């Protein structure tokens, strides 16, 4: 009887340890479930993050643009100037162009006359300054030596050569009759340019183009989603009208055999 009583007393002493172990196992299972849910939620979040990016890649952009506006403009210092990344430089370029347009277009000043007058004033001031300093016993002014660096000129010439060759290639493709759409677009652009040339001078056209370069890319970059949505609708309407024109007129024009382009 004493042994049985001792055995019954020993059982309650072992129960708390068992309960602690069971609680620990339950806590571990609960934490595993929580971690599993967190991993699944993070994976679902990743999938949800991927979906908008895939949708964004399918968003319509004007002229099939896939790069930012800054990269389209070249991505260098000229692009920074046109996008107003450096406001002082951009304001200086636009202000200088405005002053030149006012002088040569509104005041009808001639370029050679302006250059000669500026050189006369600059040389006279420097000559007098250099002689006056000899009488008042002061150091002569340090006139900086101007040298045109070779590398920027070579880069500019190389860029112009690439763009001119690209333009000649486009004109060759248009003249060869391979793409009727390009041919009609070129005729329309030249016709509009001839009308503008009859209304204003070349200098005014260049100044308008410069002002557009300083304003249109910046505004488009700020409101590109709205502009692209309107552009998509406009392109859809143009395609409809072009399809009607093609069915009624262009498809009935006889064409000669076209040579296939050489494969690289």
């Amino acid at each position: 009887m004493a042994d049985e009583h001792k055995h019954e007393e020993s059982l309650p002493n072992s129960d708390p340890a068992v309960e602690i172990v069971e609680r620990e196992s339950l806590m571990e299972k609960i934490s595993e479930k929580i971690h599993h849910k967190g991993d699944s939620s993070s994976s679902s979040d990743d999938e949800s993050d991927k979906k908008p990016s895939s949708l964004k890649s399918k968003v319509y952009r004007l002229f099939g643009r896939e790069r930012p506006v800054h990269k389209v403009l070249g991505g260098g210092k000229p692009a920074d100037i046109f996008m107003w990344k450096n406001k002082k430089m951009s304001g200086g370029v636009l202000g200088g162009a405005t002053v030149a347009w006012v002088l040569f277009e509104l005041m009808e000043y001639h370029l050679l006359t302006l250059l000669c007058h500026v050189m006369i004033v600059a040389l006279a001031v420097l000559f007098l300054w250099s002689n006056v300093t000899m009488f008042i016993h002061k150091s002569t002014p340090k006139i900086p030596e101007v040298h045109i660096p070779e590398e920027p000129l070579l880069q500019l010439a190389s860029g112009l050569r690439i763009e001119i060759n690209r333009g000649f290639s486009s004109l060759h493709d248009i003249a060869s009759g391979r793409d009727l759409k390009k041919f009609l677009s070129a005729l329309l652009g030249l016709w509009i340019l001839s009308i503008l040339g009859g209304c204003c001078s070349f200098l005014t056209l260049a100044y308008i183009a410069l002002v557009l370069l300083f304003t249109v890319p910046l505004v488009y970059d700020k409101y590109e989603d709205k502009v692209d949505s309107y552009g998509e609708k406009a392109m859809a309407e143009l395609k409809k009208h072009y399809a009607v024109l093609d069915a009624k007129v262009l498809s009935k024009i006889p064409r000669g055999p076209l040579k296939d382009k050489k494969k690289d």
Side-chain angles (χ1 to χ4, degrees):
M1 293 293 292
D3 294 332
E4 290 177 358
H5 183 69
K6 288 180 182 179
H7 181 66
E8 290 176 356
E9 288 180 353
S10 61
L11 287 175
N13 293 332
S14 61
D15 287 339
V18 174
E19 289 178 357
I20 291 171
V21 173
E22 289 177 353
R23 287 177 183 175
E24 290 179 354
S25 61
L26 286 173
M27 292 297 292
E28 289 176 357
K29 291 179 180 180
I30 292 170
S31 61
E32 288 177 0
K33 289 182 179 180
I34 292 172
H35 286 300
H36 181 68
K37 288 181 179 179
D39 295 336
S40 62
S41 62
S42 62
S43 62
S44 63
D45 291 338
D46 293 337
E47 291 177 356
S48 63
D49 291 338
K50 290 178 182 177
K51 286 180 181 179
S53 62
S54 63
L55 290 174
K56 286 180 182 178
S57 62
K58 296 179 181 179
V59 173
Y60 174 82
R61 297 299 180 192
L62 285 178
F63 310 110
R65 180 179 59 85
E66 296 180 355
R67 297 180 297 169
V69 181
H70 188 269
K71 294 294 182 181
V72 173
L73 294 175
K77 290 184 178 180
D80 292 339
I81 293 174
F82 293 138
M83 296 299 293
W84 293 84
K85 300 292 184 182
N86 189 347
K87 294 183 179 180
K88 291 183 179 179
M89 183 69 69
S90 301
V93 172
L94 187 58
T98 304
V99 170
W101 179 74
V102 170
L103 287 174
F104 298 130
E105 189 65 23
L106 297 182
M107 300 179 65
E108 296 183 355
Y109 220 85
H110 297 286
L111 178 62
L112 184 59
T113 305
L114 178 64
L115 290 177
C116 291
H117 287 175
V118 170
M119 292 296 294
I120 289 171
V121 172
L123 289 175
V125 169
L126 291 175
F127 180 80
L128 292 175
W129 191 5
S130 300
N131 286 291
V132 167
T133 53
M134 295 175 62
F135 292 102
I136 60 177
H137 302 290
K138 288 188 176 182
S139 60
T140 58
K142 294 181 180 179
I143 302 172
E145 295 183 1
V146 179
H147 296 285
I148 299 175
E150 183 180 2
E151 186 177 356
L153 285 180
L154 293 177
Q155 291 178 355
L156 178 62
S158 177
L160 289 175
R161 180 184 64 83
I162 293 172
E163 294 299 327
I164 291 171
N165 288 335
R166 187 179 299 172
F168 282 147
S169 178
S170 299
L171 292 175
H172 180 271
D173 291 339
I174 292 170
S176 61
R178 294 174 180 173
D179 195 342
L180 184 59
K181 189 182 292 186
K182 283 185 178 180
F183 173 71
L184 294 176
S185 300
L187 289 183
L188 180 62
L190 291 173
W191 179 64
I192 294 173
L193 193 61
S194 66
I195 294 174
L196 293 175
C199 298
C200 52
S201 64
F202 176 76
L203 182 61
T204 302
L205 285 177
Y207 178 69
I208 291 172
L210 184 65
V211 172
L212 291 176
L213 277 175
F214 274 94
T215 54
V216 173
L218 183 65
V219 174
Y220 174 69
D221 186 62
K222 190 175 182 180
Y223 303 103
E224 61 177 347
D225 293 332
K226 295 181 180 179
V227 175
D228 288 337
S229 63
Y230 289 118
E232 185 177 8
K233 295 177 182 178
M235 288 301 294
E237 291 295 328
L238 287 176
K239 287 180 180 178
K240 289 180 182 178
H241 292 298
Y242 179 78
V244 174
L245 180 65
D246 190 19
K248 292 183 177 181
V249 180
L250 301 180
S251 61
K252 297 179 181 179
I253 299 175
R255 301 179 188 177
L258 296 177
K259 294 181 180 180
D260 297 333
K261 292 183 180 180
K262 293 181 180 181
K263 296 182 179 179
D264 295 335

